[in-house]
Amino acid sequence: MKNTKRHSYFTSVVLVCLIAFTSCKVTSQEPAKKEIVISKSLKWSDKMALTLMKRHPEAYMIDDSKKPKWDYVHALVLHSIEELYKKNPDSRYKTYIRGYVDELVQNDGTIKTYELDKYNIDLVVPGRLLFNIYAESKEEKYLKAMQLVRKQISEQPRTQSGGFWHKKIYPNQMWLDGLYMGEPFYAQYTLTFENGDKFDDIAKQFEVIQSHATDPKTGLLYHAWDESKQMPWANKETGNSPNFWSRALGWYVMALVDVLDYMPKDHPKQKELVKYLNNASAALAKYQDKSGLWYQVTDKGNKEGNYLEASGSSMFAYAFAKGAKKGYLPASYKKLANKAFDGLTKKLIKVDADGGITLTQACQVAGLGGTPYRDGSYEYYVNEKKKDNDPKATGPFILAALELNR
């Protein structure tokens, strides 16, 4: 009996030691992440990126997501951090992006949560994160994942005039959002892997929406266009939705400046896209508020319920600054971009106790049709929920800060 007790005691001690040793070993291999410190001296671009990383320790947590998912909002923020890394090669930025991609891209090149057969053009955006990772690592899984996203573009349903449907569940509809969702990836892919073979098709997407969704009176583009004119929100003569939404216009001008990064200057369609950018930017400039910002419903000013909105204002600041820097827009647009950025930092930014920053007055989401039904009315847009540090605002805020070196 005594021997049995002694043996039991000895076994327990050994087990405790083993557990302690194992714990020490794991700890030494996987050190705890250092707390992120956000100093006052940092540029706005770094302040926002580090704030988001502190609030969302893993990138899939952006937008308060509970599980990893292949999604455009994560990709928008991570693309902005990728651009930030080019100017400030802080290894934390690279690790943050890579963690998101590696959580979702599998060894065989398939992508967790990605459903190609839904033909949701929003889900093309995260493909942009794969180019640099593949170029550096040469791991085939990233190439296969890019090819999978490219397959969606090849199969994406189209309007009779050749424009991509926004989603399979939205037949015959093009939304301004979709130009940003699909075309920058498409442009980078065709330049990188197809000798630029598809630039005409990319230009076609802008041509279709420009010709159908532009309002001849204001020069602004409506949020969406239904080629069939069957949707209840669609104008029975034009097929357009009834209002101008600043974020939709922001997606559009961001799409133009980003696609132009890849389209050669001597390409026959390049000047056409530059013209579209100039036309849209000139129209937008007329509606810039004295604060430097733009309203949620772009042309309705301080009508009851309308408000100065963060995401559209950040997107316009980015597109104007980049357009001016690249020579697509007159140099005067840099001044407008700085005015917009001043408006964002002075009117919509709150500094938190830990030095982090919060961008307020961002529309959380807006769309058309669907369930519950969204009618595109003025009342609809101004009554959609707002969300602080919404990724559709924070990503473009970082991009604008980078272009303006702020």
Side-chain angles (χ1 to χ4, degrees), residues 386-406:
K386 304 183 188 100
K387 183 176 182 179
D388 287 352
N389 272 357
D390 188 278
K392 281 90 73 184
T394 57
F397 177 87
I398 293 169
L399 291 169
L402 288 169
E403 292 299 327
L404 294 166
N405 194 28
R406 297 183 63 171

Side-chain angles (χ1 to χ4, degrees), residues 128-339:
R128 297 182 78 183
L129 303 173
L130 300 171
F131 289 96
N132 284 346
I133 293 174
Y134 174 64
E136 286 185 8
S137 71
K138 299 299 181 189
E139 288 186 53
E140 192 177 8
K141 66 178 182 178
Y142 302 117
L143 176 60
K144 285 182 174 179
M146 278 189 280
Q147 291 168 340
L148 180 61
V149 176
R150 176 67 180 86
K151 184 174 188 283
Q152 179 185 331
I153 291 173
S154 296
E155 298 175 2
Q156 190 77 10
R158 294 177 183 244
T159 65
Q160 288 183 356
S161 46
F164 294 133
W165 291 7
H166 193 65
K167 298 180 185 180
K168 189 178 179 180
I169 60 169
Y170 297 142
N172 307 304
Q173 297 169 40
M174 291 185 77
W175 297 15
L176 292 185
D177 319 27
L179 278 295
Y180 182 84
M181 302 303 161
E183 309 326 313
F185 171 86
Y186 194 7
Q188 189 171 1
Y189 191 97
T190 199
L191 179 67
T192 307
F193 299 111
E194 301 170 340
N195 296 314
D197 185 49
K198 297 297 183 181
F199 279 124
D200 283 351
D201 189 38
I202 290 162
K204 178 77 173 175
Q205 305 307 311
F206 292 97
E207 290 166 3
V208 173
I209 201 72
Q210 186 78 27
S211 63
H212 289 286
T214 304
D215 173 46
K217 185 179 177 184
T218 61
L220 299 171
L221 285 85
Y222 291 99
H223 184 177
W225 168 65
D226 172 18
E227 186 181 51
S228 72
K229 302 172 187 173
Q230 296 301 305
M231 291 300 295
W233 53 256
N235 182 292
K236 296 309 172 194
E237 291 182 16
T238 65
N240 288 320
S241 58
N243 280 288
F244 308 113
W245 180 37
S246 285
R247 181 146 82 225
L249 283 152
W251 289 126
Y252 185 65
V253 290
M254 288 207 307
L256 283 162
V257 293
D258 282 9
V259 163
L260 285 165
D261 277 343
Y262 307 108
M263 186 177 281
K265 285 188 177 180
D266 60 358
H267 191 279
K269 299 290 186 181
Q270 197 264 2
K271 286 185 174 60
E272 182 182 286
L273 297 192
V274 170
K275 182 183 175 185
Y276 294 161
L277 177 63
N278 275 268
N279 290 347
S281 298
L284 288 166
K286 293 175 189 172
Y287 293 98
Q288 187 174 22
D289 182 68
K290 62 184 180 182
S291 65
L293 304 171
W294 280 263
Y295 280 89
Q296 162 79 339
V297 180
T298 319
D299 63 329
K300 293 293 191 280
N302 61 358
K303 181 178 175 179
E304 186 178 355
N306 212 7
Y307 61 93
L308 296 167
E309 199 276 329
S311 67
S313 298
S314 296
M315 290 173 172
F316 300 149
Y318 167 61
F320 284 8
K322 185 173 181 178
K325 185 195 284 186
K326 297 269 189 175
Y328 311 137
L329 294 173
S332 57
Y333 278 86
K334 184 178 180 182
K335 186 176 179 181
L336 298 183
N338 270 309
K339 184 180 179 183

Side-chain angles (χ1 to χ4, degrees), residues 38-57:
I38 305 165
S39 76
K40 289 181 180 179
S41 61
L42 289 173
K43 289 183 176 179
W44 287 109
S45 52
D46 289 289
K47 275 185 187 175
M48 181 58 83
L50 292 172
T51 297
L52 298 178
M53 290 166 66
K54 189 168 187 175
R55 307 280 184 268
H56 311 291

